Amino acid sequence: MSEASPIQPQLLSRINETFVLRTIRQHGPSTRSDLSRHMGVTFPTIAKAVSSLLEARLLEEFEEAVTGPGRPPKRLRLSKDKSQVVGITIDVDSCEVAAAGFDGVLRDTSLLSFATPRDYDSLLAAIVDRVQALATEEMPILCIGVSVVGLVNYRRQEIRFAASLPYLGGKQLGQDLSHALGADCLLVHDTHALCLAEYVYGDASSFDTFAVLDLSTGIGLGVMVNGSYLTGHSGFTGEMGHIPVVIGGDKCHCGRRGCLETVASEWALVEHVSAATGRSVPIEEVLSLAANGDQFVRSELGHLNEYLAIAMANVVNLFNPQCIYISGQLFQELPWMRDQLVEQTQQLAIEPAFADCRFLPASGGDMLGAVAAAISAVMSSRVHELHGTLSGIPLGVAWHGVQ
Ligand SMILES: [Zn+2]
């Protein structure tokens, strides 16, 4: 941070730039003097960092309406209009593409949805078409964040395995999109995106240790511990759906038997209700039957929660989180399911760790997580691009950039 150091002046400049971005993110629009005071560095150092960030279109300067005598100093904010990031979500049935300013606010008018194509080349073409429609000369795309349903190897930026969209397995979607669009691209697992969305946009900004449980077709877990996002060696942490819970149980789509997903996911619920009624029952109908008090569906939901509570108690015991965010349409539409899950978790978790933990509905979504991933990658890349390309950034480091 010291501008007097003779060591690696370019690196120090970039570190100062990253701190300017973090400080504005934390304190909101600021003058150069505000930044100098918050960061404890000299005005000329701030002025130099700000100049570089204005040129890179990461900041923009604005004047407030005059309300008293004298002209108020210009203030700086994260760019709303001078540049943009793009978020992409890839789910089993549908995909979305949307643009946001570097301030992270989604541009509602930019949201484009489409049915998930059935092969890789069509998916790539569909995304490229829509992202190209968002790019303009006035607003270059700084980075693209992609939330994908599947295991992502963060070091290789490769989708390692996607049970529900098998054609994605082994594909380096981030690199393919970067080549086609000429912009940096960062892939993240969809559950990790949910976790990041809570951290950046939700209440979790005040927590440094929390988890996000995502129950949908499968089950995922995102965990932040002491301010560090857990990715594991390659990015495969949080595969809670494939914890074995039933010895010799039903076959799971991962190839093993008795995984949690075979007894406690939307997929398992739909399978069980369909088998009992002798016809294919979609999840929407299952939820509607439950809301109308169908006894069989209610008892299936009770079993689902019994198994899910085992997993939740393990999360409480292993990580001692301040909060677990619970995400999923099932909990949204049947709020009593969340209360029941918390009660059952209380019976199983160790008492002091359970007493430390709050249970809240998730407020973000994977689109916000994709946008947050893109913004944090740009912030970190101010330093890392001196040493290599964006794809070489360890995600844990990139995500620290959004504090
Ligand atoms: Zn499995």
Side-chain angles (χ1 to χ4, degrees):
M1 295 280 289
S2 166
E3 71 279 10
S5 170
I7 305 163
Q8 294 183 287
Q10 196 184 8
L11 178 61
L12 288 175
S13 297
R14 289 299 174 85
I15 290 171
N16 279 329
E17 289 167 22
T18 302
F19 272 93
V20 166
L21 293 173
R22 287 186 193 180
T23 305
I24 292 179
R25 178 148 205 122
Q26 190 181 356
H27 295 279
S30 309
T31 64
R32 288 169 177 77
S33 301
D34 294 336
L35 292 168
S36 173
R37 196 173 57 254
H38 286 310
M39 289 171 55
V41 296
T42 64
F43 190 91
T45 301
I46 294 296
K48 186 178 169 211
V50 165
S51 164
S52 174
L53 291 167
L54 286 169
E55 197 182 330
R57 297 173 179 243
L58 302 186
L59 290 183
E60 59 194 25
E61 212 163 10
F62 68 104
E63 282 183 76
E64 287 187 294
V66 178
T67 53
R71 203 187 178 99
K74 286 183 177 173
R75 294 207 290 167
L76 299 146
R77 65 185 172 207
L78 299 178
S79 171
K80 285 176 183 299
D81 307 319
K82 300 263 192 276
S83 57
Q84 57 184 340
V85 295
V86 170
I88 298 172
T89 63
I90 300 173
D91 212 332
V92 182
D93 300 316
S94 65
C95 300
E96 287 187 336
V97 174
F102 191 63
D103 60 353
V105 178
L106 282 175
R107 300 198 173 106
D108 288 341
T109 51
S110 70
L111 185 69
L112 303 165
S113 302
F114 54 98
T116 306
R118 291 296 121 191
D119 64 83
Y120 185 68
D121 289 343
S122 306
L123 175 73
L124 208 55
I127 293 174
V128 168
D129 274 357
R130 284 158 180 87
V131 175
Q132 280 174 337
L134 295 173
T136 64
E137 252 179 54
E138 299 75 51
M139 273 197 286
I141 293 172
L142 299 169
C143 186
I144 300 165
V146 185
S147 158
V148 65
V149 56
L151 278 185
V152 176
N153 182 321
Y154 290 137
R155 284 180 291 115
R156 293 172 52 82
Q157 280 292 291
E158 176 183 290
I159 301 165
R160 182 69 182 77
F161 171 72
S164 43
L165 285 174
Y167 69 73
L168 287 176
K171 293 289 192 289
Q172 293 188 309
L173 178 61
Q175 286 188 22
D176 292 341
L177 286 174
S178 285
H179 288 147
L181 292 162
D184 285 318
C185 186
L186 191 70
L187 281 184
V188 288
H189 187 303
D190 58 352
T191 309
H192 298 183
L194 282 179
C195 197
L196 187 55
E198 290 303 331
Y199 191 50
V200 175
Y201 294 99
D203 295 339
S205 54
S206 56
F207 298 144
D208 69 357
T209 300
F210 69 93
V212 177
L213 165 76
D214 181 29
L215 180 84
S216 57
T217 313
I219 302 168
L221 182 77
V223 183
M224 181 85 75
V225 174
N226 299 338
S228 293
Y229 187 78
L230 296 186
T231 61
H233 177 55
S234 301
F236 303 157
T237 52
E239 285 304 303
M240 196 163 74
H242 301 288
I243 292 174
V245 290
V246 184
I247 294 170
D250 291 343
K251 187 115 189 251
C252 179
H253 38 238
C254 73
R256 306 289 187 207
R257 284 193 174 274
C259 296
L260 185 65
E261 270 183 28
T262 65
V263 286
S265 62
E266 281 184 8
W267 165 63
L269 184 63
V270 162
E271 290 274 311
H272 295 169
V273 175
S274 297
T277 54
R279 66 184 177 87
S280 174
V281 183
I283 185 67
E284 293 74 20
E285 188 181 337
V286 174
L287 295 178
S288 157
L289 285 167
N292 291 325
D294 183 284
Q295 283 307 306
F296 175 74
V297 174
R298 287 257 183 164
S299 120
E300 283 297 312
L301 286 169
H303 290 313
L304 182 151
N305 258 349
E306 279 174 1
Y307 280 108
L308 206 51
I310 295 172
M312 291 283 275
N314 278 297
V315 174
V316 171
N317 292 357
L318 286 172
F319 301 111
N320 183 204
Q322 293 160 286
C323 179
I324 298 179
Y325 290 94
I326 300 175
S327 172
Q329 123 180 270
L330 194 146
F331 295 107
Q332 225 169 8
E333 298 198 15
L334 306 171
W336 58 266
M337 279 286 289
R338 189 170 54 241
D339 299 338
Q340 188 186 65
L341 176 63
V342 174
E343 278 168 31
Q344 293 182 350
T345 302
Q346 185 172 15
Q347 307 301 316
L348 300 173
I350 57 168
E351 195 277 331
F354 181 86
D356 262 357
C357 186
R358 298 166 64 194
F359 296 83
L360 297 172
S363 59
D366 46 4
M367 174 55 81
L368 284 180
V371 166
I375 291 170
S376 60
V378 174
M379 285 191 171
S380 293
S381 72
R382 298 299 295 168
V383 172
H384 287 268
E385 71 187 18
L386 294 176
H387 303 293
T389 61
L390 185 62
S391 61
I393 298 174
L395 198 62
V397 174
W399 287 7
H400 271 292
V402 196
Q403 287 182 46

